[in-house]
């Protein structure tokens, strides 16, 4: 890389794998940091090299469990107290994002709380990808670079050369995202309407649109228990679809998600590596996002626009 602002990249425990790939793409070394764990479950973060006057990039997705979020908060605080010039949180998967509004009385808005925690801890910028709700960007008073996994999914979908392709969304809430893909690929869009008995449990589902003889690509931002996405895929196959693939940015994949994907009629399930997926499932394909985040960091360092890298 050309000479620019002095910067260093560090990683939390569970995002080390991604930070190393980002560093390889940037041609730099991953910074040295120590996280010491105590018997009662607490832990302490310390940087093992000087970061005074540096732009510090902290790579950590905040997926379950909550230790990942706490690690990130302590990393930010430690960097602030070590006189870092600026602190950029690189959070490929922004957890708690499903709680972005009061959908019933007397509930918390967790996404806003997390935004406040990160801001108070001391971040100067957030780099994230495919937030569950775009408006979460407005919860921050610092710049938010919101990347889209379509940058890597678009070329993959093109490589499949699917005839009679239809873009679908497993629920009405994802219609805007699916519509963007449908416009880009000049393909028709199909909706699934679902009603839930309770959280993570679907009562009924209906397909709105024609899928007969079509190769369906389901688009979603995350898959948790895989109940919705697999039910949608099976329903579309019952309605005469030729094949159904699912693409989702974040592989939360809480049990029994992997088993459901295996038993479903999905041809394949495609994720990014924003969250480490470590189970064995021949239907799951992981696409790397390290180069996309490395390019964004490179552009932030050079004060260049990042919008040029968006495909969709």
């Amino acid at each position: 890389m050309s000479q620019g602002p002095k910067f260093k990249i560090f990683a939390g425990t569970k995002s080390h794998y991604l930070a190393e790939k980002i560093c390889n793409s940037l041609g730099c070394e991953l910074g040295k940091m120590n996280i010491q764990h105590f018997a009662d479950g607490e832990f302490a973060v310390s940087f093992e090299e000087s970061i005074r006057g540096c732009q510090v990039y902290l790579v950590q997705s905040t997926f379950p469990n909550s230790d990942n979020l706490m690690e990130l908060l302590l990393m930010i605080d430690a960097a602030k107290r070590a006189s870092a010039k600026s602190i950029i949180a690189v959070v490929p998967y922004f957890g708690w994002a499903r709680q972005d509004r009061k959908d019933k009385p007397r509930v918390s808005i967790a996404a806003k709380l997390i935004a406040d925690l990160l801001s108070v801890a001391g971040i100067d910028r957030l780099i994230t990808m495919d937030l569950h709700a775009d408006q979460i960007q407005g919860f921050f008073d610092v710049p938010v670079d919101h990347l889209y996994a379509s940058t890597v999914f678009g070329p993959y979908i093109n490589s499949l050369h699917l005839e009679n392709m239809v873009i679908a969304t497993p629920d009405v809430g994802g219609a805007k995202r699916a519509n963007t893909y449908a416009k880009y690929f000049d393909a028709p869009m199909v909706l699934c309407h679902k009603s839930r008995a309770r959280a993570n449990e679907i009562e009924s589902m209906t397909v709105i649109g024609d899928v007969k003889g079509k190769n369906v690509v389901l688009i979603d931002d995350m898959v948790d228990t895989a109940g919705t996405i697999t039910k949608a895929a099976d329903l579309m196959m019952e309605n005469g679809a030729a094949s159904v693939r699912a693409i989702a940015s974040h592989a939360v994949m809480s049990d029994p998600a992997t088993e459901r994907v295996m038993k479903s009629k999905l041809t394949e399930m495609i994720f990014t590596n924003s969250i480490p997926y470590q189970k064995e499932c021949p239907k799951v394909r992981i696409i790397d996002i390290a180069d996309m985040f490395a390019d964004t960091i490179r552009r932030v360092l050079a004060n260049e626009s990042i919008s040029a890298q968006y495909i969709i």
Side-chain angles (χ1 to χ4, degrees), residues 44-55:
V45 170
S46 61
F47 292 94
E48 300 297 295
E49 56 189 271
S50 174
I51 56 173
R52 185 178 295 273
C54 292
Q55 261 194 27

Side-chain angles (χ1 to χ4, degrees), residues 227-284:
T228 300
I229 206 103
T230 53
K231 189 175 182 67
D234 292 350
L235 191 57
M236 286 175 177
M237 290 298 289
E238 288 169 15
N239 286 357
S243 70
V244 182
R245 287 171 173 79
I247 284 178
S249 307
H250 310 296
V252 180
M253 295 295 278
S254 309
D255 288 335
T258 298
E259 184 182 345
R260 282 177 173 166
V261 169
M262 275 301 299
K263 289 180 177 178
S264 74
K265 295 176 182 177
L266 280 167
T267 302
E268 61 180 343
M269 178 84 239
I270 304 106
F271 295 114
T272 73
N273 57 345
S274 63
I275 298 175
Y277 179 72
Q278 296 167 328
K279 296 183 180 179
E280 290 295 325
C281 182
K283 287 189 177 184
V284 171

Side-chain angles (χ1 to χ4, degrees), residues 60-82:
Q60 178 78 314
S61 284
T62 56
F63 55 93
N65 61 33
S66 300
D67 282 2
N68 294 306
L69 172 62
M70 194 64 194
E71 256 190 32
L72 177 59
L73 292 170
L74 292 178
M75 287 161 65
I76 295 165
D77 187 65
K80 180 174 67 176
R81 296 176 190 279

Side-chain angles (χ1 to χ4, degrees), residues 94 96-97 99-101 109-117 119 133-142 144:
F94 185 90
W96 311 87
Q99 300 177 53
D100 63 317
R101 66 198 183 283
I109 303 178
K112 169 59 174 165
L113 175 61
I114 303 305
D116 288 345
L117 288 171
S119 298
D134 287 350
Q135 66 265 23
I136 290 171
Q137 296 171 74
F139 294 169
F140 289 87
D141 293 324
V142 298
V144 176

